[in-house]
Amino acid sequence: MSEETIVVIGAGVIGLTTALHIQQHLHPSQNILIVARDFPNTTSLNYASPWAGAHYRPVPGPSSSPQAARENSQARRTYEYFKRLATDPSSGVQLIDGEEHLEAPPPEYLNEANIQNAYAHLDGFRRLTQDETPPEVKWGVRYRTYVVNSPVYCAYLLRKFVLNGGQTREYTLVDPMEAFELAGTGTVRTVVNCSGLGFGDPKSFIIRGQTCLVRNPCSVTITRQNSDGTWSFCIPRPLSGGTIIGGTKQPHDWNPTPSLDTRKQLLSNAAKWFPFAKESGGHFDVIRDIVGRRPAREGGMRIEAERVGGDRFIVHAYGAGGRGFELSWGVAQDVVQLMFENGLARQKASL
């Protein structure tokens, strides 16, 4: 029997997590190769994962929305996975308290069924009373969540993948069909497309985000919605990685240069609203301004198996926008399930 290679396109958090999960379900005759333009040792505006905050905050959506239901399921499974990861400090994942403060809560936050659906699974979830939040905050909650030192975590995933026997290749693909030709002497039946934006998908677009990484420590992660509809957040990075202060969401904005005015606004909001140590005195020790491009898609992620001739398949998993970390493990499970259904992987783990 000739050797078969499964190719995963992309080494962002979705690609790395998916490749690791596939490794647990390989036939003895199968191996796995990650092909990517960027890996965790590189920095690029278009390689979003190492720039991420990253933390978990539920996103309530209408219960009738298939996208909201799918993402809620993926986020729940990922939450449980990250809780286990946090027991290994080298992963760059840590469990801490998270809070949300909303000045003008959107309608989906005022529907109790939506809130229970999105938040009830969180450890320690409770509503905040008025005397626990600033006066202008109309809706507040607290729960246990996770925060991630994203560069450390991406390197951790890649290291595990390689130690498990996975192969990597730095290569810029123009079309996913190219990936079927990269196995050398082996054959490729399955390409998993975790490329972020896909390849020319008209529904895909970037969301520019600007944040600021500071040395000032913070013991909680807080997300704040302002009355004008803008959002601010602080996310401590484990392993003394500083604190991310954000942030902006600018769809279709390709400007690669950080705005000093935006930095000034982010830090001004942080000084007012977030519990940095008193010795900070409202001043921040800035490590760097960060601009990243989140790979988003209208209607949410594309997760489907596409037959591209004979017994060849491309399994698509791209377009997570700003929720790559939050959905990653659930997406990986859903990809492997599609592979089971199409006879591309075996259901019993080989490890």
Side-chain angles (χ1 to χ4, degrees):
M1 181 184 291
S2 65
E3 191 169 79
E4 179 194 341
T5 299
I6 294 169
V7 177
V8 175
I9 301 172
V13 68
I14 297 287
L16 292 169
T17 307
T18 300
L20 261 180
H21 192 40
I22 293 170
Q23 273 185 324
Q24 299 175 30
H25 299 274
L26 296 176
H27 291 278
S29 62
Q30 291 176 313
N31 59 55
I32 186 165
L33 168 70
I34 294 177
V35 176
R37 179 194 61 222
D38 301 297
F39 282 92
N41 63 320
T42 63
T43 56
S44 162
L45 272 175
N46 299 307
Y47 180 41
S49 292
W51 302 114
H55 67 165
Y56 176 48
R57 181 184 73 84
V59 179
S63 55
S64 59
S65 160
Q67 178 191 346
R70 183 184 70 190
E71 290 186 2
N72 184 46
S73 168
Q74 291 165 341
R76 283 175 179 237
R77 286 176 276 151
T78 305
Y79 178 73
E80 294 302 321
Y81 175 69
F82 272 97
K83 282 202 301 182
R84 296 194 299 272
L85 274 175
T87 62
D88 179 359
S90 70
S91 68
V93 178
Q94 181 183 352
L95 295 177
I96 66 171
D97 288 331
E99 293 189 5
E100 295 179 43
H101 300 163
L102 277 61
E103 291 188 13
E108 54 267 29
Y109 285 85
L110 303 177
N111 180 303
E112 188 57 33
N114 281 351
I115 295 306
Q116 288 301 315
N117 195 39
Y119 287 87
H121 66 287
L122 295 167
D123 295 341
F125 169 67
R126 70 177 182 86
R127 299 290 182 93
L128 293 174
T129 61
Q130 279 199 310
D131 57 357
E132 292 179 297
T133 60
E136 62 273 18
V137 170
K138 303 296 187 292
W139 188 93
V141 293
R142 177 181 294 157
Y143 46 81
R144 290 293 281 177
T145 188
Y146 58 80
V147 290
V148 184
N149 187 322
S150 45
V152 169
Y153 180 59
C154 289
Y156 169 86
L157 293 177
L158 180 60
R159 185 168 65 250
K160 285 188 71 173
F161 172 78
V162 172
L163 289 174
N164 286 347
Q167 302 293 313
T168 64
R169 180 171 175 183
E170 188 176 317
Y171 186 85
T172 301
L173 292 155
V174 176
D175 187 288
M177 295 301 293
E178 254 187 293
F180 288 102
E181 311 302 328
L182 296 181
T185 57
T187 60
V188 179
R189 285 181 61 211
T190 310
V191 170
V192 184
N193 176 16
C194 301
S195 58
L197 289 169
F199 290 84
D201 185 335
K203 292 185 176 181
S204 292
F205 62 98
I206 59 114
I207 301 175
R208 180 185 185 274
Q210 181 172 333
T211 61
C212 191
L213 178 62
V214 300
R215 289 187 175 85
N216 308 54
C218 193
S219 60
V220 295
T221 178
I222 296 180
T223 303
R224 165 99 177 204
Q225 183 233 32
N226 315 317
S227 58
D228 63 1
T230 60
W231 294 79
S232 303
F233 54 79
C234 63
I235 305 173
R237 276 186 165 178
L239 302 176
S240 303
T243 302
I244 292 282
I245 296 173
T248 66
K249 292 182 180 179
Q250 298 162 298
H252 308 285
D253 187 332
W254 290 89
N255 185 353
T257 307
S259 159
L260 293 181
D261 286 342
T262 299
R263 178 215 276 194
K264 184 178 178 182
Q265 187 63 57
L266 293 177
L267 297 183
S268 171
N269 289 345
K272 285 188 293 186
W273 293 327
F274 301 143
F276 286 95
K278 284 196 171 82
E279 53 266 28
S280 295
H283 299 289
F284 293 96
D285 186 358
V286 175
I287 298 173
R288 70 180 300 166
D289 297 296
I290 294 171
V291 172
R293 292 172 179 156
R294 307 174 181 103
R297 186 174 180 273
E298 295 169 21
M301 286 192 75
R302 182 183 182 190
I303 300 179
E304 65 174 313
E306 177 188 8
R307 188 187 291 270
V308 291
D311 62 350
R312 287 180 166 188
F313 284 83
I314 299 177
V315 183
H316 299 282
Y318 64 85
R323 303 199 73 198
F325 284 81
E326 295 173 290
L327 305 180
S328 56
W329 181 248
V331 169
Q333 289 182 317
D334 291 350
V335 166
V336 170
Q337 183 60 38
L338 283 173
M339 294 176 69
F340 293 158
E341 292 168 5
N342 289 281
L344 305 172
R346 70 176 191 173
Q347 296 213 28
K348 185 175 180 183
S350 58
L351 296 180

